[in-house]
Amino acid sequence: MKAKMLDRREIDVLAGRLDDARVQVLDVPSLADDVEIHIDDAYRIQDELVARYLRRGEALVGVKLGFTSKAKMAQMGVSEVIVGRLTDAMSVDDGGRVELHRFIHPKIEPEVAYRLALDVDLDDPTVDVESCVDAVAPAMEIIDSRYRDFRFTYTDVVADNTSAAAYVIGPWQPMRAIGDLPVRLEAGAHTVDGSTEAILDDPINALHSLLEVSRRRRIPLRPGDVILAGAATAAVPLTAGLARCEIDGLGVVSVEVTA
Ligand code: 0L1
Ligand code: MG
């Protein structure tokens, strides 16, 4: 069945539900329990949700990709990555501290981050997105779905700004090829090993996928923006203690998680 397109008021109501969940640190049921949402409307809800963050004083600092592993795409029955927005309020310093009470049921995952040095002209069909990037770094993302028990549909998670909650970036290095580098995430009692290859076979492919989605959804890619390319392993629950990610040959990033 084809989803009916939502009107402005319906978009506002659904974005408000997700915004309240984030502010109150209280989960909500899947939006899909009430209404069938078209993917175009899911991005419109995300736009309105992020506009609410900005009206409260947050500033956009970048974007993130989700569903960048074959396993996750297969699980969700999709073949396209999803894109969410990062704000300054989500940034945590490398070696700094983050408090668990900010989140509903957070998980953490190891990522590769890129930094844009130049504006990416979404209307230029010949634009070379790789040449717009000047730096790469190890990173960790804290995801915190606003949906009860992390139970969501593809359109739910897009509407919920792809579960974006916080992120930490390690030391930037000049842009270089990443390909297949071993990754280890240690977070509380969890240790997970993986590879950067899990990110679309090579994290560089995340830049090309991002460009496609950004063109279609009119998501600006501006100088200075951070790009979280996707998870190199499955996410693990975030618990108190040290969370540390090492990407061989790229570096280490860590954060102290407090109750
Ligand atoms: O990879 C990610 O950043 C997660 C995207 C959203 C799906 C989830 O919350 O598991
Ligand atoms: Mg992620």
Side-chain angles (χ1 to χ4, degrees):
M1 198 176 70
K2 203 160 177 284
K4 165 181 111 33
M5 298 311 284
L6 303 176
D7 64 28
R8 185 72 249 162
R9 193 194 57 83
E10 290 167 312
I11 297 281
D12 278 353
V13 167
L14 296 174
R17 231 187 255 180
L18 292 168
D19 193 34
D20 289 349
R22 178 179 184 247
V23 170
Q24 294 165 11
V25 197
L26 280 176
D27 57 14
V28 292
S30 155
L31 303 182
D33 287 355
D34 283 351
V35 58
E36 199 181 345
I37 299 173
H38 189 280
I39 185 65
D40 293 349
D41 277 343
Y43 275 101
R44 288 171 67 212
I45 297 168
Q46 182 190 118
D47 286 344
E48 173 53 30
L49 177 62
V50 173
R52 286 170 184 244
Y53 301 170
L54 304 188
R55 287 200 288 274
R56 276 200 300 275
E58 296 180 36
L60 283 174
V61 295
V63 291
K64 59 154 284 188
L65 283 84
F67 297 171
T68 48
S69 78
K70 288 194 187 101
K72 193 74 187 189
M73 276 191 197
Q75 185 196 330
M76 298 305 292
V78 296
S79 54
E80 181 176 279
V81 302
I82 56 175
V83 175
R85 322 292 172 81
L86 301 174
T87 72
D88 55 348
M90 301 175 193
S91 169
V92 180
D93 288 342
D94 184 21
R97 214 173 59 154
V98 67
E99 289 166 341
L100 278 174
H101 67 72
R102 280 176 56 181
F103 310 111
I104 303 167
H105 42 199
K107 298 181 188 179
I108 190 162
E109 56 192 23
E111 300 238 356
V112 169
Y114 290 104
R115 187 179 66 201
L116 283 175
L118 302 173
D119 188 49
V120 179
D121 182 351
L122 301 180
D123 296 316
D124 175 356
T126 66
V127 73
D128 175 6
V129 62
E130 289 182 37
S131 69
C132 296
V133 170
D134 72 340
V136 59
M140 293 186 289
E141 185 187 13
I142 295 173
I143 53 172
D144 191 32
S145 174
R146 270 48 71 165
Y147 300 113
R148 196 150 301 150
D149 304 323
F150 266 81
R151 188 181 67 81
F152 48 69
T153 65
Y154 169 54
T155 52
D156 276 333
V157 71
V158 167
D160 184 27
N161 196 29
T162 68
S163 306
Y167 67 92
V168 199
I169 305 220
W172 289 109
Q173 292 195 17
M175 180 57 172
R176 48 160 286 199
I178 299 297
D180 175 12
L181 298 179
V183 176
R184 169 164 285 198
L185 172 69
E186 295 165 306
H190 301 271
T191 298
V192 218
D193 289 303
S195 157
T196 53
E197 195 187 18
I199 307 165
L200 296 170
D201 297 329
D202 181 330
I204 199 73
N205 293 325
L207 298 177
H208 301 284
S209 297
L210 171 64
L211 179 60
E212 277 174 39
V213 177
S214 294
R215 278 189 173 130
R216 201 159 338 119
R217 305 295 168 197
R218 305 313 296 174
I219 297 173
L221 301 174
R222 308 157 315 164
D225 276 359
V226 165
I227 298 167
L228 288 184
T233 71
V236 301
L238 187 71
T239 53
L242 185 72
R244 178 183 186 276
C245 160
E246 177 158 11
I247 303 185
D248 270 17
L250 188 62
V252 176
V253 55
S254 70
V255 69
E256 187 65 36
V257 184
T258 57

